[in-house]
Structures are given as C-alpha cells and as structure tokens.
Amino acid sequence: MPINTSTGVYSAPSNSWNPAVADTVINSDDWNAIRNDMADAMSRVPATTRALWATAAQVQDGALVWGGTASGSANALAVALSPPITAYIAGLEISFITGSSPNTGAATLAEVAAFFAAQRAQDPGCALLLKAVAGGGGRGMRVVTDPAALAEAHARCSAEALAAFGVGAVYAERLMARARHIEVQVLGDGRQVMALGERECSLQRRFQKLVEVAPSPGLGGALRQQLVDAALTLARSCGYQGLGTFEFLVADGPQADAAAPPFVFIEANPRLQVEHTVTEAVTGIDLVATQIALAAGATLASLGLDPQAPPPPRGTAVQWRINAERLDDAGQARPASGRITRCELPAGPGVRVDTHARTGLAPSPHHDTLLAKLIVHHAGLPGASTWTEVLRRSRRALAECRIDGLATNLPLLRLLAADDDVQHDRLHTRWLEARWPVLAAELTAELAAGLATALATQAPGAALADAAPPAVPPPATEDAPPEGHHALRAAMAGRVVQWA
C-alpha cells in the first residue's frame, strides 16, 4: 500500500472503493498498515503539502477517504488563491500576494518589498501583514509599518513559522487596521454548495481568535448577503466538496466610507473550524456528522439540505475559548502549566462545554493551550436584545467555571463578557490591543479583591482554593555557562527561533 510522499496519494487499483456505493470493511491488519504508512508519509512531507492534501486516500483491500475536503477542491482553491499582487477572482478582490513558487506559495523578500511599495504608492500610510503560509492561530505573523523594518520582520516571521509548522514560507497582505473578521460556513458535495450563515471573530488577541459569535450581531442584511454570495461564488468555482470556511475582513469605522471595497477576502480553511460549535447551535446541524457524510459521498439533498433554503439562524450563540495561559503586562499570553486540582464547569439550558479538562490532568505546555470551549446560546430572534441575553447567560456560565491548579484566561473572559464595548458591539480586530490598558487595570483589581476575600473567609489552616498558582522562584544558584555562551532562562517551554 505505497504512498507517493510528494503528493500524499495512495496507489490504488482500478477497482478502488467508491464511498457512495461500497460496503467495505477494513480489517485490523490493513488498518494498522494504513495508519503506519500515513504517519510515515506525513512526517516526511512539507506542512504546506499536508495542508493541501484534502485527498481521497484509497488502498487495496479497503479505503480511506480524507475527512476534510476532496483534493480537487483544495488544490483548485490553492490555485485560485495564488494571484499576483492584486487580482479579481470570481469578481472578488484579493488583497494578498503569495509569490511565484507553486510548491511552497512563498513570497520572497524582494516580492514582498515590491508589493509594499505598490501599496504605499496608493496609500502612503498603509501597513503590511506578514503571514505564514502553513500558519494558524496567530503564529508566524508580523505587522510592518515601516519599509525599513521589512527585512527583519520577514526573517523573524519565517523563523517563527519554521519552528511552529516546519515550513518557513510566508506571504504578505495589506493590513486593514480597523476591520471586523467575518467568516462564512460553506458546505459542498462537489456539485452543489450552500452557506450556513456567518460567524464573527473580531474579538481576538494578536490575530488569535478568542471569542466567536453566530450570527454577527452588527452585520447589516445587505452586506451579509454580499459576503455569502462571495463565498459561494468561490466555492462553486472549484466544485467544492466538504466543509469549508471562507474568511473576510469587513471595513469598520472611517474605512467603511472610503472608496475601497467594503470587504476583502483573506483566506479559506478547507476543514472544520474550532468555532463550528456556534454555527451548530444556531442552525441545529451537526457539522462533524455532516462533514463525515459528505466525505462518504452523501449529497446535500440526501442530507436534507437545500442550497436554496438554508436554515435561518435560531437566536445567537457565542463561544468563549478557555485557555491555560498567563498574561504578561503587555497582554501577551504565555502557556501555563500545572495539574488541575479542581474542574467545575457550567451546565443548564443554552450552555454547552466541549473539553478534555478534568481534575488530575496536567496539560502539556508543548501543545495547544485550549482547555475548553464554552458555548452559550439564546434562541430568540437575532438582534440587540438577543445579544444582551446571550451575554447575560455567558456571565453566569463563566462565573460558574472553576478551574484550579493552573492559570487560565477565565478572569479576562469574565471582564470581556461585562465590557460596555462588547455589550454594544463596538468591536474590531485590534480592539483588544487598544483596550488592554483598561482591562489590565481591571484584572489587577479583580485579583486583589479575590485574594482579599479568600484571606478573610478561609478557615484556619486551610489553603486558598482560588488563589493564583504561585510563581516558581528562580534557583538560588546556577551553574555558570561555558565561556563564550550566554544563559537564557525561559519562562515557558519553547524553542529559540532566532538569537541576535
């Protein structure tokens, strides 16, 4: 059962399995061989190739079908999203450059510099955003406001991407400084495509999503339809099969009145997203089961889904990402480690928790810091009153979350749920950075008040259950490093990607 490691495709006989009609069972020996071959191949191909593999993997005595997106859709999408500096694909402006290499999608420093110069010729004050081709979660990203700083930023971004994803390829896009991040959930069976509404991910920190909402509380009906139409046009252009998220930046504030387009397309993710839960809440559709069914050859019609009549949203849902992390004075998150000594999570109508956390667990700081996803839903008609109600429920649910033994971002999430700007939907992708000084002061006051209350109410000799985990003191003595070397104390587990 050989794999071509340059493409990631199994060699398959002419009578290979058809997932739409076959009744094939893979025995344990076959499955172990498939799993070992796939793991070996995955370890030897670039991350960018792995990311584009939405390939139906077929084998002699059984079959595997990629549960993400079929290879034709992913590869066509990759080609479609590799335009020159500015291009129009299906009538939609694309605002990024990916370079000329078909294998890595990398933009060289010279190409990025030329792109930056072209953008500055149109708008002398604009900035650039460098992004890792194989990236995600805000890693491998840098904002560049001065062309003189481009070379260093490009090198650092590439080094960080290489350390995080195994591939140093980066590209650039023009930074929209004040925008809302809106993504459209798309389903396709290879013949028809449909949208299940949008999600708003504007409440993020350094390009990492923190809170997601469906539908967007502040999006007008006409603009919402334009975004959906744009996503569907792109999906139809490549015969999309599977689940996918098409992501846009929507101009907010003064930019919205400029001559520039009201929104720009930024990327497509041909897979299930972490925030799929809020779409499930407002549509009632199990997206995990739907993705598996589509991979097995089901059509939208056979699943009872009509592209001409998508289910209307039932109320509003919000997802709060609970992470094991510490925040420094600048608001930068660092992974937190420790053993969970208490894990109490909320329940009740309209509350869902997806988590692997439990008492006694010691999450590895080397992996993603996400501990739990708290999803809160209110089934009223979407609008200001429903948003107010879902925030009220969120404040109650977040207050009921008790995770002790390691630091989490629960205090920050509780402040966000009560913030006036959040309640009145005055948000954009850089809002949290601008608001951080106020939030930092509030966090400090909350921590002081919590410790004072705990000290006043604890029983004699009892430990503080809710106190923040104590900082690990530095060792009293240290071995001197060898001559010509410097000692670097890391506050967290990690990898040095550049030393200057």
Side-chain angles (χ1 to χ4, degrees):
M1 294 178 288
I3 284 184
N4 181 333
T5 56
S6 66
T7 62
V9 180
Y10 269 98
S11 301
S14 58
N15 61 343
S16 57
W17 183 67
N18 182 341
V21 298
D23 184 20
T24 301
V25 176
I26 303 177
N27 64 44
S28 60
D29 291 338
D30 285 341
W31 169 247
N32 288 332
I34 294 167
R35 182 178 59 187
N36 292 336
D37 281 355
M38 289 290 285
D40 179 64
M42 288 286 279
S43 69
R44 290 185 283 119
V45 299
T48 46
T49 304
R50 298 199 297 266
L52 294 176
W53 270 4
T55 300
Q58 300 174 333
V59 295
Q60 285 181 329
D61 300 322
L64 291 179
V65 176
W66 192 268
T69 300
S71 58
S73 295
N75 291 332
L77 207 56
V79 172
L81 305 184
S82 298
I85 293 175
T86 303
Y88 282 85
I89 296 175
L92 182 64
E93 185 179 49
I94 307 296
S95 65
F96 62 79
I97 178 175
T98 56
S100 58
S101 171
N103 295 322
T104 65
T108 66
L109 177 59
E111 289 172 319
V112 174
F115 174 64
F116 201 1
Q119 297 300 307
R120 278 290 177 98
Q122 300 175 20
D123 181 0
C126 74
L128 205 65
L129 180 62
L130 297 177
K131 301 175 73 173
V133 170
R139 291 169 292 181
M141 299 178 72
R142 288 286 189 281
V143 173
V144 183
T145 58
D146 182 359
L150 180 59
E152 181 182 357
H154 188 276
R156 287 183 175 273
C157 186
S158 180
E160 183 177 330
L162 182 63
F165 311 112
V167 176
V170 299
Y171 67 94
E173 66 184 37
R174 178 168 168 167
L175 178 69
M176 187 179 286
R178 186 180 173 94
R180 286 178 174 269
H181 188 150
I182 306 292
E183 58 187 35
V184 178
Q185 179 68 69
V186 171
L187 308 177
D189 59 15
R191 295 166 291 277
Q192 291 184 301
V193 295
M194 69 179 294
L196 293 180
E198 85 287 347
R199 298 184 287 261
E200 177 156 359
C201 313
S202 299
L203 197 47
Q204 52 187 254
R205 176 187 54 206
R206 300 181 188 273
F207 310 110
Q208 294 177 309
K209 297 171 183 174
L210 192 59
V211 180
E212 298 96 347
V213 185
S216 168
L219 200 62
L223 185 54
R224 173 180 285 112
Q225 191 58 52
Q226 290 179 44
L227 290 165
V228 169
D229 290 344
L232 291 177
T233 300
L234 280 170
R236 289 191 190 101
S237 70
C238 61
Y240 200 85
Q241 182 175 359
L243 260 68
T245 302
F246 291 74
E247 305 195 15
F248 304 85
L249 291 179
V250 178
D252 185 60
Q255 291 183 116
D257 299 323
F263 61 87
V264 293
F265 174 80
I266 52 173
E267 64 184 22
N269 285 297
R271 56 178 171 79
L272 194 73
Q273 294 280 83
V274 173
E275 59 271 20
H276 72 276
T277 56
V278 289
T279 299
E280 289 184 333
V282 298
T283 64
I285 295 175
D286 185 330
L287 292 182
V288 177
T290 300
Q291 176 174 265
I292 294 172
L294 291 171
T299 65
L300 294 177
S302 69
L303 297 175
L305 299 172
D306 182 359
Q308 305 304 316
R314 300 179 301 175
T316 299
V318 58
Q319 174 179 277
W320 307 86
R321 299 194 188 198
I322 302 174
N323 300 323
E325 64 184 33
R326 294 181 183 274
L327 294 174
D328 62 21
D329 292 341
Q332 180 69 43
R334 306 293 183 188
S337 59
R339 187 173 300 278
I340 299 176
T341 58
R342 177 166 65 170
C343 185
E344 298 175 3
L345 299 171
V351 175
R352 164 184 169 182
V353 180
D354 290 2
T355 185
H356 66 100
R358 55 179 172 77
T359 300
L361 179 71
S364 170
H366 301 290
H367 299 153
D368 195 291
T369 61
L370 184 64
L371 283 179
K373 301 188 295 184
L374 171 62
I375 304 95
V376 181
H377 177 225
H378 177 59
L381 293 175
S385 61
T386 303
W387 178 235
T388 299
E389 175 59 23
V390 82
L391 284 177
R392 186 191 67 80
R393 292 188 179 187
S394 293
R395 289 191 291 273
R396 175 186 60 80
L398 287 166
E400 293 177 359
C401 287
R402 305 295 292 272
I403 300 177
D404 295 339
L406 76 173
T408 72
N409 66 337
L410 275 168
L412 174 61
L413 296 180
R414 291 168 184 148
L415 286 181
L416 293 178
D419 191 276
D420 189 65
D421 281 351
V422 175
Q423 295 183 60
H424 291 88
D425 193 36
R426 297 190 292 259
L427 302 174
H428 54 84
T429 55
R430 309 298 292 275
W431 175 86
L432 190 53
E433 295 173 36
R435 186 72 167 172
W436 176 247
V438 174
L439 294 172
E442 292 177 348
L443 283 172
T444 300
E446 289 281 343
L447 177 60
L451 288 174
T453 301
L455 287 170
T457 58
Q458 70 171 342
L464 288 179
D466 291 327
V472 178
T477 60
E478 289 184 338
D479 293 333
E483 184 176 354
H485 291 72
H486 298 276
L488 175 66
R489 175 178 294 149
M492 55 170 279
R495 181 185 300 173
V496 177
V497 298
Q498 185 171 358
W499 178 270

